[in-house]
Amino acid sequence: MKFSGFPEKFEFSAVPKPYLAYVLPAIDDLDELKATLVFFKLLYQKKGFPVWVTAAELADSGSGFDEASAERSLNKAVVRSVLMRLAVTLEGRATGLYLLNDEKNREAARKIIGGDIKIKDLAPSIASELPPLPELPDIFSLYEQNVGLLTPMIADELKEALKLYPEAWIKDAIREAVSLNKRSWRYISKILDNWNAGGRDDATYQRHPEEDRDKYIKGKYGKYVQR
């Protein structure tokens, strides 16, 4: 089937940025990818809190899944810790509720299981115990909040920078770039390169401090330099 292009008017679906930056590059299962994207679409059409999606809803969405294959694919996203699965009795039937695995939903799931949140026709039975999502390193959050979208390529650049420079340098370089309204990784990287080559005000982490000093003492400006 060949896609005929977008119509004049159409809706967008929200996809969490951390999913695009960290999870998507690691997914090699097409069904898991399709199920997760449809999950996001269905989730953001709902109102209230907490909200969830069931395998039956995924199967009824026209995405090509039956209920069994929808459940298998959603469970792969559970194993990846993108989603949580809360096993409940809903309308007399054992059902899995799939929630986005974030802090608010983890707390809501604990309260549902403990009976602190009462939901009509919902009787908690078993809940999957899932580890919390790992927190993003500070520099990733700092970049997203002040510079722009953290793409997989930028994330890799930041990881490489962490191997080369102190984390405090990277944070300071981001802040300096923002203060100059130069919001790009290229500019931040240039700041780090300059600091690495010439040292910072505190003279730490210079590449060749002795050679750099001799360059100025013995060069054409040497007569102006006090020994």
Side-chain angles (χ1 to χ4, degrees), residues 41-109:
K41 172 190 172 183
L42 296 175
L43 186 73
Y44 288 108
Q45 291 174 347
K46 298 191 173 190
K47 296 181 179 180
F49 181 81
V51 291
W52 54 76
V53 173
T54 66
E57 289 175 314
L58 197 72
D60 291 339
S61 67
S63 54
F65 290 100
D66 57 30
E67 190 168 345
S69 63
E71 187 163 17
R72 284 196 301 272
S73 300
L74 288 170
N75 284 340
K76 292 176 183 177
V78 171
V79 171
R80 201 180 291 278
S81 293
V82 172
L83 307 181
M84 298 185 298
R85 183 179 187 275
L86 185 63
V88 302
T89 301
L90 184 60
E91 297 177 350
R93 179 188 175 196
T95 304
L97 306 182
Y98 294 90
L99 297 86
L100 189 67
N101 185 16
D102 63 11
E103 183 56 41
K104 288 183 179 180
N105 281 321
R106 287 193 289 271
E107 181 62 24

Side-chain angles (χ1 to χ4, degrees), residues 85-88 106-117 122 124-129:
R85 183 179 187 275
L86 185 63
V88 302
R106 287 193 289 271
E107 181 62 24
R110 286 191 288 267
K111 289 182 177 180
I112 291 171
I113 296 166
D116 297 321
I117 292 181
L122 192 155
S125 53
I126 307 168
S128 299
E129 292 294 331

Side-chain angles (χ1 to χ4, degrees), residues 204-221:
T204 58
Y205 291 94
Q206 289 177 311
R207 185 173 292 160
H208 300 294
E210 292 297 326
E211 292 177 14
D212 290 344
R213 185 177 61 191
D214 288 345
K215 176 177 65 177
Y216 291 105
I217 292 175
K218 298 176 181 178
K220 67 177 181 178
Y221 298 110

